[in-house]
Amino acid sequence: MGIKSCEVCGEPLFREIEVFGQKMVVRRACACRRKEIEEENKLAEESRIYNRAKDILELGYLDKSYAQYTFASTDDKESKEYHDMVQYADHWDKAKKVNRGIYLYGNVGTGKTFYASCIANEVRKKHGDYVLIGTASALVRYFTRDYGRNEDAEQQIKTYPLMVIDDIGTERESNNGLSVMNEIIDMRYTAKLPLIVTSNFPIDDVYKGLGMLGDRIKSRLNGICVPYKITGKDRRNNG
């Protein structure tokens, strides 16, 4: 009896093999089935990539609104600031390797949060790296959730390739905010991982007058971040 063939592609559905001197007939995938398997694998890989991106977003974005900002959405593509921020994102692998972050400062509404978020989203989507991003106050609350140390937050701070602290300095309004922020930045510094920070104040002024703890935070920030002043127009008053 001959070996049965696929009615569609005509390829044999079985083949003969020899095992320990004995001939056996085993099933094989014809061209039709191989194409089906290829499509199934492709869909599975697309699903894996989508779910990983979704997990990265849900795990690290303390406020989902950060996810809406992209370089493509700005109408200010001619500015030096835009090109510098795009360049940093494009060369993220190098910045990560040498542990080089950015301290973005400037007047209210000039685009500090926007650019920090754009970089975070580029790192997440194009490079597939995990990102932890939130306001300074939100990060303090997240780290000290339930009046203790949040071990998940600690692990993220110590291992996520990029961390963004938005509006740093506002956390010092709480009783232990300054102490917690010092701990967070110190962990980041020790882990030798890039940190992007935004503030309305220059790096030397954000914790000015707050004693040794403020000076320690400033020293750490100067050690891992390059100060960069954002001087763009006030986006919040632009309709």
Side-chain angles (χ1 to χ4, degrees), residues 27-239:
R27 192 171 185 88
R28 68 183 291 275
C30 65
C32 297
R33 181 54 186 152
R34 291 197 299 274
K35 185 175 181 180
E36 288 177 356
I37 293 172
E38 183 180 348
E39 288 297 319
E40 290 169 0
N41 290 338
K42 181 179 178 182
L43 290 174
E45 177 64 11
E46 290 175 350
S47 177
R48 185 192 69 79
I49 293 172
Y50 171 80
N51 288 328
R52 181 170 184 267
K54 185 170 179 288
D55 288 343
I56 290 175
L57 175 60
E58 292 178 349
L59 284 171
Y61 282 51
L62 301 191
D63 186 328
K64 302 304 183 290
S65 65
Y66 289 112
Q68 68 181 301
Y69 300 114
T70 65
F71 286 121
S73 66
T74 183
D75 58 356
D76 192 26
K77 294 184 174 64
E78 299 302 319
S79 70
K80 182 179 185 301
E81 292 152 344
Y82 171 84
H83 288 287
D84 287 345
M85 297 304 111
V86 169
Q87 185 176 43
Y88 180 88
D90 286 344
H91 294 86
W92 163 246
D93 287 336
K94 182 177 180 180
K96 179 170 62 173
K97 185 176 180 180
V98 300
N99 182 24
R100 182 53 62 205
I102 314 175
Y103 182 96
L104 301 172
Y105 69 101
N107 294 332
V108 173
T110 51
K112 302 180 297 293
T113 296
F114 171 79
Y115 282 125
S117 300
C118 286
I119 292 171
N121 292 326
E122 288 287 299
V123 166
R124 180 176 63 86
K125 294 176 182 178
K126 290 190 176 181
H127 298 271
D129 277 340
Y130 284 88
V131 173
L132 177 60
I133 179 172
T135 63
S137 298
L139 284 163
V140 166
R141 291 194 300 270
Y142 181 51
F143 184 67
T144 56
R145 189 173 61 189
D146 300 326
Y147 302 100
R149 175 173 290 191
N150 181 349
E151 293 182 359
D152 290 335
E154 182 177 357
Q155 183 68 12
Q156 288 174 302
I157 293 167
K158 289 181 177 180
T159 63
Y160 275 23
L162 177 61
M163 180 176 177
V164 178
I165 303 177
D166 188 25
D167 207 10
I168 200 170
T170 55
E171 80 291 343
R172 68 188 189 184
E173 297 173 5
S174 65
N175 292 332
N176 70 333
L178 188 65
S179 177
V180 174
M181 183 53 63
N182 173 63
E183 192 171 1
I184 289 172
I185 292 176
D186 194 58
M187 285 191 293
R188 197 70 188 173
Y189 182 90
T190 302
K192 297 181 179 179
L193 291 169
L195 178 65
I196 292 178
V197 177
T198 75
S199 177
N200 295 334
F201 303 96
I203 198 167
D204 289 332
D205 293 341
V206 64
Y207 292 115
K208 190 174 182 179
L210 295 178
M212 291 181 62
L213 201 55
D215 290 342
R216 179 180 173 83
I217 296 175
K218 181 185 73 173
S219 176
R220 287 285 190 253
L221 289 175
N222 273 310
I224 57 178
C225 293
V226 175
Y228 191 105
K229 187 173 184 179
I230 301 294
T231 59
K233 59 186 178 181
D234 190 337
R235 294 171 181 269
R236 299 181 185 182
N237 293 326
N238 197 35

